[in-house]
């Protein structure tokens, strides 16, 4: 993962590098560093932990120079220490890297034979040393990079700076995104256009296998064979404003509370609100009526949104759906029907596994549709049609408003498919659209239960393990609830299909074990409630998320109930996502964890 930035400027760069890194902290926050080149040569400052530690260090030990590079790290090779933080320096070279150099051990072995040894445990230092050896053998920095790139295996976004070269940065991309920003007498590099938004909106994206020589006012781009490549300059719409928390203690809470508005905004794009029908503005390169199968692939929470969509497309459009986590899909090499449709779902649009799955499906001749929040992301740029989630920047690592936006679009698409395939009559479709239109109001009402959920979370924060149960289209919400709890509270949690419990996991149930049952009223509720009673009979502490009907049905033996507004079963998974978010949020607050930037995680996962 990691965020990288570079500036060739006419003004001092150190503060601006740190500002740009602040906008990239979502990519990793284990450690950070910058290096600049001034009349006294190359120098760097690095610090373990969040970017503020680096900023404090720089306040005491400032760096001069009008050219520099910076990095915020999500550790892959080597612990999150200052010594492993980037930039890495060797001889005349300073480098920042996003990705993984898979053959770094081979490179280091080769370098050791010539007396070049690393001082960190990172894969990146092998690149700094290799380029250094090239330079010390007598070639120019540019040739040194050109000679080095073909030796690297793995993924990289790299930016190099060289002692004695205050007008030169060299960047390379293979698998990790890089944007070049054009300024007036200045040039910029960043992992995304958002990092560069305070400086410029004029962006050239490097494509896979590009490397670029950047001098003030100029970028020359080449492929790895040295051929000159033209890449268009585009106007980025990334906002220079940094999101703030408003009155909320955390971004996650703010984003949970934005959902009535974000879902409404997203639905307004996909529905004709006056006519109460689905109205897709996107030109579809495929016909839902002719599809024999839909493939959905994504990671984490986005994958669970895809799992819910499977229930919707199969039930309401009679369209068979395969859903797979992208990291498995890409290596399974599944046969895909030519002219079929693969739908990828990604908030960031940069998730490495999802991108690789997309590329595999595209190679197989599939139409690629992407649900993305970041519309200038690599996934967006490589897809044939984009369904934007339109929920605004999501800052907290735990996805909330992007999830409900994804689900809202998937529901709209399932209705469109159902109509195109002649499965849904106009009146059936109308009933489903009405349920979606009412959703923002129901989410607002759901949020009024926050006080109750906070009380329940106090007990939950004392648990060591938690089970989540759901059935049918609520099963993915059980999985999502468990993921959300794990990632921000660090409490072990598992989601299960309610009917699976008796095939093993019920052995875990005892008086210490909270079991969260997601069962708003639908035709499967009774069955889920039976499974719930099986747990209660074995002493498990039941927290039931249901509506008034479910509450009446549930009977005695329930420890806590979180009541949802009664909605059409079609939209129940979208609404039920909200209480599981709030439960995780408040539990994490009680645990005192870093809610918005939980340990070991990053918002955008750009390594395999
Ligand atoms: C969600 O809370 C997680 N942080 C994570 O599972 C996330 O959904 C996953 O990494 C996929 O990210 P993407 O949507 O940006 O592709």
């Amino acid at each position: 993962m990691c965020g990288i930035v570079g500036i060739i400027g006419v003004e001092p760069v150190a503060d601006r590098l740190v500002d740009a890194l602040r906008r990239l902290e979502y990519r990793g926050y284990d450690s950070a560093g910058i290096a600049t080149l001034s009349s006294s040569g190359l120098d760097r400052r690095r610090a373990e932990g969040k970017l503020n530690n680096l900023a404090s260090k720089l306040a005491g030990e400032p760096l001069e120079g009008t050219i520099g590079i910076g990095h915020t790290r999500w550790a892959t090779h080597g612990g999150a220490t200052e010594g492993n933080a980037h930039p890495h320096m060797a001889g005349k070279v300073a480098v920042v890297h996003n990705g993984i150099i898979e053959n770094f051990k081979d490179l280091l072995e080769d370098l050791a034979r010539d007396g070049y040894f690393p001082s960190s445990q990172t894969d990146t230092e092998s690149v700094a040393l290799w380029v250094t050896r090239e330079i010390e053998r007598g070639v120019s920095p540019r040739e040194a990079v050109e000679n080095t790139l073909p030796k690297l295996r793995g993924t990289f976004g790299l930016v190099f700076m060289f002692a004695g070269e205050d007008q030169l940065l060299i960047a390379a991309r293979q698998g990790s995104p890089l944007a070049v920003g054009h300024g007036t007498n200045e040039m910029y590099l960043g992992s995304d256009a958002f990092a560069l938004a305070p400086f410029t909106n004029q962006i050239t994206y490097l494509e896979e296998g590009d490397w670029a020589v950047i001098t003030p006012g100029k970028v020359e781009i080449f492929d790895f064979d040295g051929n000159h490549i033209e890449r268009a300059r585009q106007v980025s719409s990334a906002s220079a404003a940094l999101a703030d928390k408003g009155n909320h203690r955390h971004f996650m809470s703010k984003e949970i509370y934005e959902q009535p508005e974000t879902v409404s905004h997203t639905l307004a794009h996909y529905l004709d609100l006056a006519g109460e029908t689905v109205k897709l503005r996107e030109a579809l390169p495929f016909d839902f009526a002719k599809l024999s199968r839909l493939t959905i692939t994504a990671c984490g929470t986005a994958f669970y949104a895809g799992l819910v969509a499977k229930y919707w497309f199969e039930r309401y459009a009679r369209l068979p759906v395969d859903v797979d986590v992208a990291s498995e899909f890409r290596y399974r090499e599944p046969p895909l029907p030519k002219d079929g449709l693969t739908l990828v779902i990604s908030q960031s649009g940069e998730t490495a596994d999802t991108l690789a799955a997309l590329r595999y499906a595209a190679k197989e001749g599939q139409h690629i549709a992407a649900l993305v929040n970041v519309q200038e992301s690599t996934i967006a740029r490589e897809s044939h049609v984009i369904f934007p989630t339109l929920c605004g920047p999501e800052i907290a690592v735990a996805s909330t408003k992007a999830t409900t936006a994804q689900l809202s679009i998937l529901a709209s698409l399932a209705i469109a498919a159902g109509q195109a395939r002649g499965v849904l009559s106009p009146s059936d479709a109308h009933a489903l659209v009405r349920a979606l239109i009412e959703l923002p109001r129901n989410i607002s009402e759901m949020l009024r239960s926050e006080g109750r959920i906070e009380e329940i979370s106090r007990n939950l924060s004392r648990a060591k393990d938690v089970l989540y149960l759901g059935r049918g289209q609520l099963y993915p919400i059980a999985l999502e609830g468990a993921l959300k709890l794990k990632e921000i509270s660090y409490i072990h949690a598992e989601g299960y299909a309610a009917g699976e419990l008796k095939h093993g996991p019920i052995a875990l149930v005892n008086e210490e074990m909270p079991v969260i049952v997601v069962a708003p009223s639908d035709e499967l509720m009774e069955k889920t409630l039976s499974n719930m009673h099986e747990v209660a009979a074995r002493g498990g502490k039941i927290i039931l998320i249901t509506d008034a009907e479910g509450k009446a049905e549930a009977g005695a033996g329930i420890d806590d109930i979180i009541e949802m507004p009664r909605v059409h079963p079609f939209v129940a998974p979208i609404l039920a996502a909200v209480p599981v978010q709030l439960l995780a949020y408040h539990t994490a607050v009680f645990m005192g964890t870093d809610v918005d930037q939980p340990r070991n995680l990053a918002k955008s996962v750009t390594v395999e």
Side-chain angles (χ1 to χ4, degrees):
M1 279 104 73
C2 311
I4 57 183
V5 63
I7 304 178
I8 301 184
V10 283
E11 304 285 336
V13 292
D15 289 349
R16 291 188 290 161
L17 288 169
V18 173
D19 286 347
L21 289 179
R22 218 170 274 295
R23 304 167 72 83
L24 288 172
E25 227 183 350
Y26 72 91
R27 293 177 156 263
Y29 37 77
D30 291 343
S31 56
I34 66 168
T36 62
L37 176 60
S38 67
S39 50
S40 38
L42 280 180
D43 202 356
R44 69 180 165 185
R45 302 283 179 270
R46 300 179 295 169
E48 214 175 292
K50 300 280 173 67
L51 194 57
N52 283 343
N53 298 349
L54 175 67
S56 309
K57 188 172 232 182
L58 279 162
E61 304 166 56
L63 278 180
E64 292 181 353
T66 56
I67 177 170
I69 57 179
H71 188 271
T72 178
R73 180 168 187 247
W74 185 84
T76 59
H77 295 63
T81 60
E82 183 177 332
N84 287 329
H86 300 215
H88 286 285
M89 288 179 17
K92 290 184 162 186
V93 181
V95 65
V96 286
H97 168 222
N98 171 23
I100 293 175
I101 306 299
E102 288 169 3
N103 59 334
F104 77 101
K105 284 193 182 138
D106 299 342
L107 299 178
L108 288 176
E109 260 171 45
D110 190 317
L111 285 158
R113 287 196 279 277
D114 287 335
Y116 291 86
F117 297 100
S119 56
S120 73
Q121 288 96 47
T122 65
D123 52 330
T124 305
E125 216 184 339
S126 64
V127 182
L129 288 167
W130 199 282
V131 174
T132 297
R133 185 173 66 179
E134 289 291 318
I135 290 175
E136 290 177 357
R137 281 174 175 172
V139 303
S140 68
R142 181 176 168 151
E143 287 166 306
V145 173
E146 191 172 5
N147 295 345
T148 301
L149 293 175
K151 308 283 180 204
L152 308 181
R153 238 185 31 240
T155 55
F156 49 82
L158 288 161
V159 183
F160 298 93
M161 181 170 70
F162 307 91
E165 299 278 355
D166 63 0
Q167 307 283 293
L168 175 70
L169 289 176
I170 299 184
R173 170 184 177 156
Q174 181 168 285
S176 305
L178 263 183
V180 179
H182 304 257
T184 315
N185 302 323
E186 293 202 330
M187 294 296 281
Y188 314 96
L189 275 156
S191 292
D192 64 23
F194 179 65
L196 307 183
F199 315 135
T200 182
N201 65 355
Q202 300 290 312
I203 298 292
T204 300
Y205 288 102
L206 297 189
E207 300 296 339
E208 296 303 342
D210 286 357
W211 65 283
V213 176
I214 295 141
T215 49
K218 191 169 168 200
V219 54
E220 284 179 283
I221 303 177
F222 305 91
D223 64 18
F224 286 2
D225 295 325
N227 302 308
H228 203 276
I229 307 270
E230 286 302 327
R231 298 280 177 224
R233 190 196 284 208
Q234 12 184 309
V235 178
S236 162
S237 59
S239 162
L242 262 186
D244 68 69
K245 293 180 199 149
N247 294 327
H248 293 264
R249 189 166 158 198
H250 298 101
F251 278 109
M252 183 176 176
S253 151
K254 177 176 177 246
E255 288 159 5
I256 289 173
Y257 268 84
E258 281 173 352
Q259 290 176 109
E261 201 184 318
T262 51
V263 166
S264 156
H265 182 64
T266 304
L267 286 173
H269 182 85
Y270 292 93
L271 303 180
D272 169 358
L273 295 172
E276 301 194 341
T277 54
V278 173
K279 184 170 158 237
L280 299 181
R281 288 171 171 74
E282 291 69 24
L284 303 185
F286 57 86
D287 181 351
F288 273 125
K290 297 198 177 118
L291 292 179
S292 59
R293 174 162 292 278
L294 167 64
T295 301
I296 300 179
T297 184
C299 298
T301 288
F303 165 68
Y304 296 145
L307 266 186
V308 175
K310 175 180 171 73
Y311 288 86
W312 286 335
F313 278 101
E314 292 190 340
R315 174 168 193 164
Y316 297 106
R318 305 304 299 152
L319 176 59
V321 179
D322 286 328
V323 195
D324 209 345
V325 282
S327 52
E328 290 300 317
F329 176 84
R330 58 179 296 198
Y331 290 115
R332 222 179 64 233
E333 299 186 5
L336 298 171
K338 206 163 164 38
D339 290 327
L341 175 63
T342 292
L343 188 61
V344 298
I345 308 171
S346 175
Q347 187 286 130
S348 63
E350 298 293 353
T351 301
D353 287 316
T354 310
L355 180 60
L358 176 162
R359 287 177 178 159
Y360 170 78
K363 213 170 80 231
E364 292 291 293
Q366 292 263 295
H367 298 293
I368 308 293
L371 260 76
V372 281
N373 200 32
V374 181
Q375 288 185 56
E376 292 175 24
S377 57
T378 311
I379 287 178
R381 283 184 280 123
E382 294 197 14
S383 298
H384 305 137
V385 57
I386 308 169
F387 299 114
T389 36
L390 303 170
C391 63
E394 191 180 64
I395 308 296
V397 164
S399 186
T400 54
K401 64 176 181 173
T403 315
T404 46
Q406 287 160 355
L407 287 168
S408 302
I409 299 170
L410 291 163
S412 307
L413 293 177
I415 299 171
Q419 289 193 278
R421 297 168 72 81
V423 180
L424 289 177
S425 67
S427 71
D428 292 339
H430 180 250
L432 302 181
V433 171
R434 266 239 61 87
L436 283 172
I437 291 173
E438 287 165 9
L439 192 56
R441 181 174 50 76
N442 287 310
I443 295 176
S444 293
E445 203 182 319
M446 184 73 249
L447 290 170
R448 286 197 212 111
S449 303
E450 183 176 19
R452 177 91 195 96
I453 295 176
E454 188 176 359
E455 273 171 40
I456 296 171
S457 304
R458 186 185 295 279
N459 285 336
L460 207 56
S461 67
R462 298 188 190 111
K464 268 183 63 207
D465 306 280
V466 179
L467 284 183
Y468 284 73
L469 303 183
R471 209 177 246 274
Q473 52 171 7
L474 276 319
Y475 162 47
I477 302 303
L479 295 170
E480 165 65 357
L483 172 65
K484 212 98 295 176
L485 190 73
K486 274 186 277 214
E487 77 174 321
I488 58 170
S489 76
Y490 317 147
I491 294 175
H492 172 245
E494 297 298 335
Y496 280 100
E500 269 294 293
L501 200 67
K502 55 191 167 299
H503 298 289
I506 200 164
L508 296 170
V509 171
N510 61 20
E511 300 72 37
E512 311 284 293
M513 170 78 83
V515 181
I516 299 172
V517 182
V518 190
S521 51
D522 61 13
E523 78 271 19
L524 299 177
M525 181 184 72
E526 282 180 8
K527 290 191 188 305
T528 313
L529 294 184
S530 300
N531 302 135
M532 177 187 80
H533 286 298
E534 289 156 14
V535 172
R538 285 155 181 88
K541 299 220 164 321
I542 305 288
I543 300 165
L544 174 62
I545 302 176
T546 190
D547 50 28
E549 194 177 311
K551 195 171 166 183
E553 189 80 24
I558 315 298
D559 296 272
D560 287 300
I561 293 191
I562 297 170
E563 191 170 331
M564 294 169 55
R566 177 86 203 270
V567 291
H568 190 299
F570 175 56
V571 298
I574 315 181
L575 186 61
V578 177
V580 300
Q581 295 166 354
L582 283 170
L583 270 175
Y585 172 73
H586 284 291
T587 306
V589 171
F590 281 122
M591 301 289 290
T593 60
D594 191 343
V595 173
D596 285 334
Q597 294 188 325
R599 71 182 181 204
N600 305 338
L601 293 172
K603 185 71 182 157
S604 176
V605 185
T606 57
V607 293
E608 278 187 53

